[in-house]
Amino acid sequence: MKFKHKTVENVRLTDRFNTRQQIIGTIYLTSTHLIFTDPEGKRETWILHSLISSVDKLPTTQQGCPLRVRTKHFLSAEFLIPKERDCADLHATLNQLKPDSYEKLYCFLYQAPNYLEKIWDPFLLATEYMRMGAPNQHWKIEDGNSNFDMCDTYPPLIYVPTLTSKAMLIGSSKFRSRGRLPVLTYLHPNGASITRCSQPLSGFSARCQEDEQLLQCILKTNPHSNTMYIIDTRPRVSIPIKSSSLRINAVANRAAGKGYENEGYYSNIQFKFCPIENIHIMRTSLQKLLEVSDMKNPTMNQYLNALDSSSWLQHIKSVLDAAIFIARVIDIEKKNVLVHCSDGWDRTAQCCSLSSLLLCPYYRSIHGFRMLIEKEWLSFGHKFSDRCGHTTTSDNKEQSPVFLQFIEAVWQLSQIYPTAFEFNERFLISLHDHSHSCQYGNFIGNCEKDRLDLCVKERTYSFWNFILQNVNDFKNPLFRPQSSYASEVLLPVINAQTLKFWLSMYHRFDSALLPKENISNTLTRLVDHTTSLSDHARLLEKRIRELNSTFDNNQTTTTSSSSTTTSNEGVDDSDIEKRNHHNNICLPEFDSGLSDVDISQARITDSISSKLNTILQPPPSLSDVESGFSGDYSPHNKALSSSFILPHQSSIDLNDIPTLERIALELNSIALDWRSYNAPVHCACSLPFDSAQRKYNCWRCGENYCTRCIERSIHLPGLYSNSLAPVCKTCARSIKSSPSFADFSALVKSKSTDFIRSQTAMKLSRSMIDQFINDR
Amino acid sequence: MSRNFLEKSKIYLCPGKYCGYQNNSTNCGACQRGYRVNTESICQLCHETLSLYNFMYIVFMALLALSFHWYFINRLQKKKQREFTLVKQTILYFLSILEILLAFIFTLLTFPPIGKLTMNVCQVKLLSDFYPMFHNPIVNYRKKLRCSYEVVYPLQSAIFVLYTYASLIMLLLRPLFVSIIHQKFISASIYSALHFYPCLLILHALCGGFIYFSFPILTITSAIFLNAIHFTLIANGENNWISFIRKLCGNIQNWIIYLVHVILLLCGLISLTQFEDEYHLILLPTVFLPVFRDHLQSYPESIVNVTLHNVIITHKQSDGNYKELWIFYTNMDAIQPKFPMKTEFRSQLPLSPSMSSTYTIIVRLKTLETCYFDVSVLDDAIKLAESLDALITYTDGLNCDVTFLFPFCFPRDFEVIQDGWTAFSVESEFSRLQAISDEWRISDVNKNFAICETYPERLVVPKSITDEYLKRSAQFRSHGRFPLLCYLHKSSKSCIIRCAQPLIGSSVRRCKEDEGLVNAMLTQRHKKGWILDTRHANVVKSAQNKGGGCEPDQHYALWKRLHRHLDKHTVLQESFTKLMDACIDQSEKDRWLSKLDNSNWLLHVKEALTTACIVAQTIDCEETSVLIHGSDGWDTTLLVTSLAQILLDPDCRTITGFEALIEREWIQAGHPFRLRCSRSGFGRSTHGQESPLFTLFLDCTWQLLQQFACSFEFNDTLLIELFQHAYSSKFGTFIFNNEKEKLKYNGIKHTVSLWSYFNRPEILHTFLNPFYEPNLSVLWPSVAAQSIILWRSLYLRFYENQIPQREVWDEYLLIKGKEIQLRSYVNKLRQELLELERKCTEKTNMIKTEKDSVVTI
């Protein structure tokens, strides 16, 4: 591809909320990004071409020609370009650079950093259904769609009631729009299930015996109830409509052979309309919402008025209401639910996935949420490419923020129940961004078949791999697996007052608007610090044990002074233990330990470390396992606590006797105090921090660094678990240069079997599922 | 007997005390005769039976006429002693009694229910009920709404009717008597009666209300005094007892006078027993078995006790124990009876058990909670609602005795560690100031609140200014609130000054002393300052016509003026009411956001924060001093000064600092808390002085806390607690309007300070922010519309499930605690390791030396 201009200089970037402040810099254009650099502030703005939603030339002013670039992740940048020709060129080039076919998408060009590999965890729909308990006596696997001949937007394997015959399925699929017949999508432990499909092509009076039979079969799968619900997520059309034009519309829809089930033909079925507006209304609503955030310094009334008239939050509420209704029916009334909209891939996906999220705590973990997305959105064919507008070939009218609405609905839930979700806001935001960015192959294409045709798995990276490699960034520090909200069905009461405007989504690039001090970042920092300290403490305990044993070897009697210090600690520790309600170790033993000198040092320290274990990890309970395997499939902290691997396996070999240099190195490599996020204004690379940015503490020096200044490839000697720790570049250099580090890294490399295992952590997660199923 | 309680939401209340809607009419106006307006602005039929007090009042008026009759008959006797025999005299006396008695009976018969010896009356509540013509409201300052009618029906007209009957009967009977005995002079009694009846009528028309409320005491005192006078008159000239007693008993006239006095005395005594006290407000002391519920729980089979200070709800818990819940009247904001049936025709309908579902009384509390009483008996419900309503009105800001409020009866149930009354003295503040600058002194100029009633007695003033100057300046400022230092910035030495508006008036008066005082507060470095007026320029102009105004430029040459309009009083109160209306609205139809928008509350928050930011910017960046005032300097002024201090001063972001700030800038600065907080988000304004300024201040602080989550030592629990205590408290901190009042009622001795309660470790612990890291810089919050958000944890805290949020808080503490523990644990381990290491080296060295020594040997 040829660009007319690769660089444009003397460009001013105007801040949306502080028009007086302008940054002068240079625009660089690469084949994938538009880069704006600011030589003074050292700040760089990278805009991926595939994320650009619109490029507008605004009327020329005295200072130059303004060019507004808006992206799909809600960045709106206004560049003031001195020469009008440059501006026009840039405008034309940017428009040209938009990918016009799948082959030109960014994911086929993207070269990920080393730690990511083109590993695709084989997502098997079957394992997910196995977890839910299907197939069983009521449900069976049907492979009639293995060549996508029954329905090309469904996965090859579908789950249908045992009683159905193939002819029945084929008949039903012909009756349903685009062949999307009713199939199982969620099975609740109480036997009630959610099935999804598309609208019936009932027209004025058409009926289909097979479809009716199929619904009766679905009804019979639930022994608890003799009726079931059909939920139409469209606004009801059968109610008398005053406006005649709308009536004609509805009639026209029916005449075109579309419609909804005729209540007369289906027995024992309750119909319910959950009005969610169609994709076009949602699109305009989002546009209005973005206009709100585009307003320059609105007054309070303007802002609230505009927010109200966009009715975005009302749409979110209608989606949530539908989902809560479904969850209520399933959990309380114990009835089966069939959900459909027009085509069964937009509103149906939203409702099914949200209600599953409410019903099953597993989906509220990172891993489970991934399963949910894979199942409801990817397998059942949400048209990501069309809805997100990945290529220029897709129709503009097909674009709609359906997935965004789902993400936001999840966010609203996570605001109501902050302790119930394992993932955090950043996870949701990056999920949204990458559904648009095409950086990873997951969200390419319109259905499973498209992705198979494009050989996505061989040619691109997986988004989930990226998430798992950086899982600490996406974990909710408040997640409390043992809390009732994280382990039960959630049935929130949603009022209009409940929903909030998602400031950190729609205004995430306007740091002036965001809170200056961010609690969630502080929390992540605290949790990271705790992890590093506990890891370090474990190593220290081991060293003390070793030294003691060497000491004992040489000198059989222990000095009373050292024993008292340790047993003192034992008492101290018992305080910690009391707080954690863990009763494995009884206290009297320690009290007697005070007087009893004979008790071995090793035993005490051992028990301390086991207690430390209990501090760091809540005792594994059923709820813990159910709520999603605590996310331990991360390679970073694989050995730390996972109940599937023995805790001591991957630690550094015990046999080597620590030299003084080693101990010094180990003590030096971990910072005891970490710099608070609030104090520094600049990173060491002089990049100014703002509140929204993710900051990292170097585990060695404790200072704050930006993402670019952190390296993740160092095994810090001071860590027991021997995992990769984030370290700043200076520290990384000084560690590498220290003489005893060479020995250490050699030692680590000899233990590289662990390393290999960490790479296949994805498979580990599969084994977890198996184990889970076995447990059941 | 029927009362028409309609849903309040459907009715727009009429202006004025006595205007109401007549049946189905949509216009406000005077009620029909026989009707009286109720609290819902609806004219209601007067249906109460004649109470003893009212009965005695009519009796008193009748007796008044009778005594006049007797007096004139007595005069007659003195004039014409010979012709006027005792028999005639007695007949005349009895004749007058007969007249009055007949008139009295006829009057009772005339008034509805007609033909019965009783009357339907309207309850008399206030003195003003007798004089509705003085309470005609002026709508929108243009049109006067005439709502004069007989509010106290029929007490007013009954007297007129009584006197008319009496005179008519007299005109019928006496001429007959005269014609029988043929003594013309007796007709003089008729003439005199015809003279005094009009006088009595006029007296009643003018002073009816005063008589009504004072007649028992009047009768008793007059009975005693008149008797005494009578005795002295008789005793005059008599030297021995026997003749005195003979004279006393021998005369029938005396007997009659005694009789009259005894009747008067009895009448007075009986009436006095009926005299109003607080307890008459309670119509129904106990209600059995209603369902009491709030948003989350319901407590069936409760017992509701109505006492003088609170409602005590006793309910049985699941474990069989009884639990009590107290709701103070001072915490009740509005009573909204919600009865399913329109009770207009209740008496005509048979009350079947199926119909008598429940009658709900919704009690909205000032702390924004809502309680529901479901009572199954309508009469009980009405009485309960009425008693509560009356008690709320009674404990209201203006007409309530402060010592009646609960803090005066609240027993101190905890040990005071640090007395809050003395914790924040002027001296301690002054010592802080002394560290920055030595140009200030403490003055006793306001001893005994001599020059300003709303300032404390001891004040910090510039050293260079004498007390005489201050006195002059105080005369020049509204309410004597002369310019006072409230904050001195450490780095720039510029200060925030607050005061009330200068009384320049339309003639633009000037006061040299005031100018001198203001200029003395300017810093040495920058001889310039800003005057921030929290009113719009137009408002200032209209204030100038009323004698107020703003400092003119020509006289205050060193100062520049700036106007930032901040709403207060009714506008703010209305906004708050609308906000709460939006918050409690659970219906689907109305759009929440547009309602929120309509309330304008967030706009007020934004404006207040913006103004505070301007002040902070001036102080910190421009290094110039700012003088802030509104009209009186105790509302919006305080809002701005206190917010600016939070932005500027890191000390104000600690718990003690924040308490000191509230004590200094709100309580000691004379924010009239009792007036401002007598109604919260639901109630109707009773005196127009209610205004949620303190709430606005707390909300703004919360916005700051939201944006700078780590810079405050406290969390939002403290702010919510403060909100609750400002509106309803068992502590004395927020119940006075100013320091003078506190001293007058001896508040320090009789009540407990809120700060004493807050500063106990177990309470203080709950206010701590686990993420607090002292931030010494000035805070620059974002005041864009997007950054201003609704304070959910206050306004919606009773309408949303708060348990997950509480869990979050626990988790915060857990994470923080774990980090701290681990840190110290690692530290300990490290030390131990080093210790061991040292020992090891020592030992190896020892072994080495041993080996060496072996080798050397």
Side-chain angles (χ1 to χ4, degrees), chain A residues 498-610:
Chain A
T498 318
L499 304 183
K500 303 178 196 167
F501 177 68
W502 195 356
L503 200 67
S504 44
M505 176 66 131
Y506 302 108
H507 280 291
R508 78 185 101 132
F509 297 102
D510 308 309
S511 58
L513 295 184
L514 297 171
K516 303 289 180 295
E517 286 164 8
N518 191 327
I519 284 196
S520 75
N521 280 347
T522 313
L523 271 176
T524 321
R525 178 181 141 256
L526 285 178
V527 169
D528 280 352
H529 195 194
T530 316
T531 324
S532 104
L533 283 178
S534 66
D535 208 341
H536 186 53
R538 214 179 279 244
L539 184 87
L540 290 178
E541 281 159 6
K542 199 185 73 148
R543 289 283 173 260
I544 289 170
R545 207 158 55 228
E546 284 164 6
L547 276 179
N548 268 324
S549 63
T550 48
F551 203 59
D552 286 347
N553 285 345
N554 296 330
Q555 193 178 335
T556 40
T557 52
T558 45
T559 52
S560 58
S561 67
S562 75
S563 85
T564 38
T565 51
T566 27
S567 33
N568 271 339
E569 250 155 55
V571 175
D572 268 337
D573 248 272
S574 63
D575 293 340
I576 307 172
E577 189 218 13
K578 266 184 231 158
R579 297 185 59 153
N580 286 278
H581 312 289
H582 195 264
N583 305 318
N584 282 352
I585 300 147
C586 48
L587 289 169
E589 199 183 305
F590 275 95
D591 293 336
S592 64
L594 266 170
S595 56
D596 194 3
V597 193
D598 285 344
I599 190 161
S600 83
Q601 296 285 323
R603 222 187 114 197
I604 290 176
T605 37
D606 246 6
S607 53
I608 287 174
S609 80
S610 73

Side-chain angles (χ1 to χ4, degrees), chain A residues 497 541 572 608 673 676, chain B residues 773 792 811 823 825 828:
Chain A
Q497 286 98 324
E541 281 159 6
D572 268 337
I608 287 174
D673 293 303
S676 132
Chain B
E773 291 164 9
R792 280 157 193 284
E811 198 69 14
R823 204 194 151 280
Y825 179 61
K828 209 174 272 176

Side-chain angles (χ1 to χ4, degrees), chain B residues 699-768:
Chain B
D699 197 330
C700 292
T701 315
W702 183 82
Q703 303 285 349
L704 295 176
L705 182 64
Q706 201 59 19
Q707 295 191 21
F708 298 91
C710 306
S711 299
F712 287 84
E713 195 192 356
F714 49 87
N715 56 32
D716 66 344
T717 318
L718 175 70
L719 299 179
I720 293 171
E721 283 283 313
L722 278 174
F723 168 82
Q724 299 192 143
H725 283 292
Y727 279 97
S728 161
S729 175
K730 50 186 182 178
F731 301 103
T733 301
F734 291 120
I735 58 168
F736 302 107
N737 283 333
N738 45 51
E739 289 289 298
K740 191 187 174 190
E741 207 175 281
K742 185 158 62 185
L743 212 70
K744 183 179 151 198
Y745 294 109
N746 210 347
I748 294 177
K749 198 183 154 204
H750 291 303
T751 65
V752 186
S753 167
L754 178 66
W755 313 128
S756 321
Y757 170 73
F758 272 7
N759 286 340
R760 287 152 66 228
E762 66 265 34
I763 304 292
L764 208 59
H765 175 74
T766 57
F767 298 147
L768 286 174

Side-chain angles (χ1 to χ4, degrees), chain B residues 50 131 145 274 280 285 310 379 394 408 480 485 493 530 636 857:
Chain B
L50 196 63
Y131 307 105
L145 205 61
Q274 297 296 309
H280 82 281
N310 54 0
D379 273 345
Y394 188 74
F408 278 88
L485 175 86
K493 302 264 194 301
W530 281 93
T636 44
I857 289 164

Side-chain angles (χ1 to χ4, degrees), chain A residues 401-412:
Chain A
V402 177
F403 192 60
L404 169 64
Q405 274 184 330
F406 164 67
I407 300 266
E408 177 159 349
V410 175
W411 180 80
Q412 298 282 7

Side-chain angles (χ1 to χ4, degrees), chain A residues 72-84:
Chain A
K72 291 170 188 167
H73 61 324
F74 313 115
L75 169 73
S76 166
E78 210 176 294
F79 298 109
L80 210 66
I81 298 165
K83 283 182 201 159
E84 197 169 350

